[in-house]
Amino acid sequence: MVTASQPIRVMLVEDHPIARLGLRGLLEDDPGFALVAEAADGVEALAVYTTARPDVVVMDLRMPRFDGIQTTAALCQQDSAVRILVLSSYDSEQDVARIMHAGAKGYVMKEAQGDEVLRAIRQVAEGGEYLSDSVARRLHEARTSTALNARERRILELMAKGLSNAQIADMISLKTNTVRVYTSDLFAKLGVGNRAEAVSVAIERGIIRRG
């Protein structure tokens, strides 16, 4: 975590040169921030991070080779103390949920004003989290519009215990194919692609309890 007397050390991970140039100028114009490294994609970011040791990594979402989600997960595995702020043009509930699950601490839209971007970087550097208003609103709308019923929550609880579709079907007196349909619907509602992500999202949102 940074102290008030030191500039916040920032690493930029962005594949578009023009966007990176704009961010570089924003940081260089404020003495409270120091740009210590840049990377054009996730593979380069992983190679540069160890040497740079920034206070905050400002991460693009869509990049070649390693995208933002893969890079965020890899950096968090490499260093549990890493602080990552996503700066993206995309604000789908699935994109936001997946990268926040991967370990990001904030999500800001690229259309945001410069002062909001700097405020978000500072908040993340100081140990907090930050979501742009539009991102927070979209997440809230998506979550309230995809409320799970009691049977769906029960299936999630059994998933969390590692039971197969066939075992879940036996437990709650359904056909295995019916459980498959429920599972597919759950993935869509939670914005995930597999069981592990579904359980992780459900725990994070308080739909089911850990353990």
Side-chain angles (χ1 to χ4, degrees), residues 14-60:
E14 167 64 62
D15 63 319
H16 293 289
I18 298 300
R20 204 161 61 244
L21 179 64
L23 289 168
R24 185 189 307 144
L26 180 67
L27 294 168
E28 290 176 345
D29 286 344
D30 192 315
F33 300 87
L35 179 59
V36 296
E38 296 183 32
D41 59 45
V43 173
E44 189 176 334
L46 292 173
V48 171
Y49 177 80
T50 303
T51 303
R53 287 295 170 181
D55 298 311
V56 176
V57 177
V58 177
M59 178 85 66
D60 190 15

Side-chain angles (χ1 to χ4, degrees), residues 137-154:
R137 185 165 55 252
R138 182 174 288 275
L139 281 177
H140 175 72
E141 290 171 352
R143 290 172 181 181
T144 54
S145 66
T146 56
L148 305 186
N149 60 41
R151 174 154 283 174
E152 289 169 330
R153 289 196 298 273
R154 179 59 176 153

Side-chain angles (χ1 to χ4, degrees), residues 155 158-159 163-173 179 195:
I155 289 173
L158 296 173
M159 272 188 199
L163 273 64
S164 68
N165 285 345
Q167 290 171 320
I168 292 172
D170 286 341
M171 287 282 293
I172 60 177
S173 301
V179 174
R195 283 169 160 253

Side-chain angles (χ1 to χ4, degrees), residues 8-107:
I8 296 170
R9 296 164 49 82
V10 179
M11 173 177 164
L12 298 179
V13 185
E14 167 64 62
D15 63 319
H16 293 289
I18 298 300
R20 204 161 61 244
L21 179 64
L23 289 168
R24 185 189 307 144
L26 180 67
L27 294 168
E28 290 176 345
D29 286 344
D30 192 315
F33 300 87
L35 179 59
V36 296
E38 296 183 32
D41 59 45
V43 173
E44 189 176 334
L46 292 173
V48 171
Y49 177 80
T50 303
T51 303
R53 287 295 170 181
D55 298 311
V56 176
V57 177
V58 177
M59 178 85 66
D60 190 15
L61 180 65
R62 304 286 172 87
M63 298 183 293
R65 298 200 288 179
F66 253 36
D67 65 18
I69 295 170
Q70 293 170 304
T71 307
T72 295
L75 283 175
C76 289
Q77 186 172 17
Q78 181 177 322
D79 178 9
S80 61
V82 65
R83 309 290 298 178
I84 297 172
L85 173 70
V86 181
L87 188 61
S88 176
S89 301
Y90 304 92
D91 66 347
S92 75
E93 193 266 348
Q94 183 173 358
D95 283 333
V96 178
R98 289 182 67 199
I99 201 161
M100 297 299 281
H101 266 174
K105 302 301 182 185
Y107 202 109

